[in-house]
Amino acid sequence: MQHLAFARITWNLSKMFYREVRKLLVVLFYLVTWLAIISNARVLTTQAVTPTTKRTLRNSSIFKLTKSWTNKWQVRLFSRVGRFLSMDRNGSLSGVLHQNEIFEIQSFGPSVVRIKHEQTGMYIAMDSKGKIKGQKNPPLKDTYFYQNHEENAFVSFASYFHRKKNGLQMFLGVKRGGNVKYGRRTRAGQDSMQFLLLYVNYTTKPI
């Protein structure tokens, strides 16, 4: 009887042991899978902001820029902070409460545009440091912007070629007081970098 009781106890302990081992293996499997997913996500995120990856994307057919504009439209740019974008004769940008200045947005690819001030003929340019100013003949790479669609019909303009050191985008933005923000001090989602396009005219280049 003692041997039988001992055998039963040993059998029960063995079953408990195997059940626990099986649970542990399942937990380890899910843990390894989760770590692999996190690791791949980090690799993809890192690749997304490296200069090599950005050059590859820009050299692909999808992101290739056209040599001349394909569509253009005249608009007034009204910031979400309640000010119109304005430019003086020296190319300085600011936000004003009342104005009739018109900007011409020229399309050079999927969501890639240049912004020209009609009255002065200057283009809005952002350099690698995030400084924004209107210029007659600026370096081309300083004048290209992504036109991103935000919520409630607003749009934002992020530099196409220049980014912050951490890989994040630099935006055209206007402060509530009217001053233009440095691109390095902007971030996605801010009211200051969202604009409503008040259309005046639209032109499509004949094929």
Side-chain angles (χ1 to χ4, degrees), residues 86-94 103 115 117 120 122-127 130-139 142-143 145 172 180-183:
S86 176
M87 182 188 294
D88 63 21
R89 294 180 180 179
N90 296 320
S92 298
L93 290 162
S94 61
F103 289 86
I115 307 172
H117 186 243
T120 62
M122 296 183 181
Y123 284 91
I124 295 179
M126 179 187 292
D127 62 18
K131 185 177 180 180
I132 302 173
K133 190 175 181 179
Q135 299 181 45
K136 281 277 188 181
N137 298 297
D142 291 353
T143 63
F145 292 87
L172 169 66
V180 172
K181 300 186 72 171
Y182 271 83

Side-chain angles (χ1 to χ4, degrees), residues 49 51 54 128 162-170 184:
V49 297
K54 287 190 288 183
S128 59
H162 303 307
R163 287 178 178 251
K164 301 177 186 178
K165 292 182 179 179
N166 58 8
L168 297 179
Q169 293 177 312
M170 296 193 295
R184 288 185 177 181

Side-chain angles (χ1 to χ4, degrees), residues 18-36:
Y18 284 116
R19 279 199 300 266
E20 295 302 320
V21 169
R22 188 169 60 183
K23 291 180 182 179
L24 181 61
L25 290 175
V26 171
V27 171
L28 288 174
F29 171 77
Y30 282 111
L31 179 61
V32 170
T33 303
W34 180 77
L35 289 174

Side-chain angles (χ1 to χ4, degrees), residues 140-160:
L140 280 178
K141 66 179 181 179
D142 291 353
T143 63
Y144 289 110
F145 292 87
Y146 280 117
Q147 182 177 315
N148 302 308
H149 293 278
E150 307 291 338
E151 60 181 10
N152 299 327
F154 283 85
V155 299
S156 61
F157 299 98
S159 176
Y160 179 74

Side-chain angles (χ1 to χ4, degrees), residues 35-83:
L35 289 174
I37 293 173
I38 295 299
S39 178
N40 289 335
R42 287 179 176 176
V43 170
L44 291 174
T45 302
T46 303
Q47 291 178 344
V49 297
T50 58
T52 302
T53 305
K54 287 190 288 183
R55 283 196 298 270
T56 302
L57 288 174
R58 287 167 186 158
N59 290 332
S60 67
S61 60
I62 297 177
F63 291 87
K64 189 174 181 180
L65 301 178
T66 58
K67 293 182 179 180
S68 61
W69 61 266
T70 54
N71 302 294
K72 64 180 180 180
W73 48 99
Q74 284 74 36
V75 299
R76 295 183 178 90
L77 293 172
F78 183 68
S79 173
R80 197 161 193 163
V81 299
R83 290 181 176 270

